[in-house]
Amino acid sequence: MKDRQEKTRKLIFTGMMTAVVCVLSILEIPMPSGVPITLQTFALALCGYLLGWKLGFTASLLYVVLGAVGVPVFSGMSGGVGVLTGFTGGFIWGFPVLGLLAGVGAQRKRLVPAVALGLAGLAVVHLLGSLQYSLLSGNGYGASFLLVSAPYLIKDILSVAGAYAISLAILRALRSAHLYSLG
């Protein structure tokens, strides 16, 4: 019975975190490059740090699938395969990696490895985002990186570090209430 309750609890938390990612992703500040400022990287890192690597990856992938089938969960309340194959789609392809690596970091239970793994996931997001933008725009990779990735790096690094710090407080509160434990 206890095992069933734990599975149900994890399923609920995975769904809740997928919803948090969806809500924080639709809020945007448009930018001239076409890549808006959002809270996606914060939400996806938080997802991994709270849920661990398996469920963090699952919730992140669920977010991508929901958007791919047309649910307007991507930035600016957009959705569909066209977003994934468009100028900003490369960033979205990297999001499950961010959720996964932040989740691996959470299981390390130490600040430096946890944040470093989250930042490695963030690097994949920026690499894929700049690469897809470069391929579709015809710009070189360096020029694309400077246009659509570099201006967001400080915000995104702070987002990952902030997600880790906030996840510690949330997990502490959930554990003290006997509602959830990672693992």
Side-chain angles (χ1 to χ4, degrees), residues 102-161:
V104 171
Q107 293 173 325
R108 297 290 185 261
K109 300 183 194 289
R110 290 184 29 232
L111 173 69
V112 173
V115 174
L117 283 160
L119 293 176
L122 180 64
V124 171
V125 169
H126 279 268
L127 173 76
L128 293 176
S130 297
L131 181 62
Q132 185 161 322
Y133 188 90
S134 172
L135 293 171
L136 294 177
S137 69
N139 292 333
Y141 180 82
S144 294
F145 175 82
L146 290 174
L147 180 65
V148 300
S149 193
Y152 306 89
L153 284 175
I154 291 172
K155 184 232 15 132
D156 285 347
I157 290 167
L158 292 173
S159 291
V160 169

Side-chain angles (χ1 to χ4, degrees), residues 13 23 25 36 53 67-69 74 81-82 91 111 114 120:
F13 277 103
V23 170
S25 293
W53 74 270
V69 298
F74 296 145
V81 175
F91 294 99
L111 173 69

Side-chain angles (χ1 to χ4, degrees), residues 14-48:
T14 302
M16 285 174 41
M17 285 309 301
T18 302
V20 166
V21 172
C22 292
V23 170
L24 292 180
S25 293
I26 61 174
L27 305 171
E28 72 172 1
I29 299 171
M31 297 298 285
S33 66
V35 177
I37 295 174
T38 69
L39 294 173
Q40 288 171 308
T41 52
F42 169 79
L44 288 148
L46 183 65
C47 191

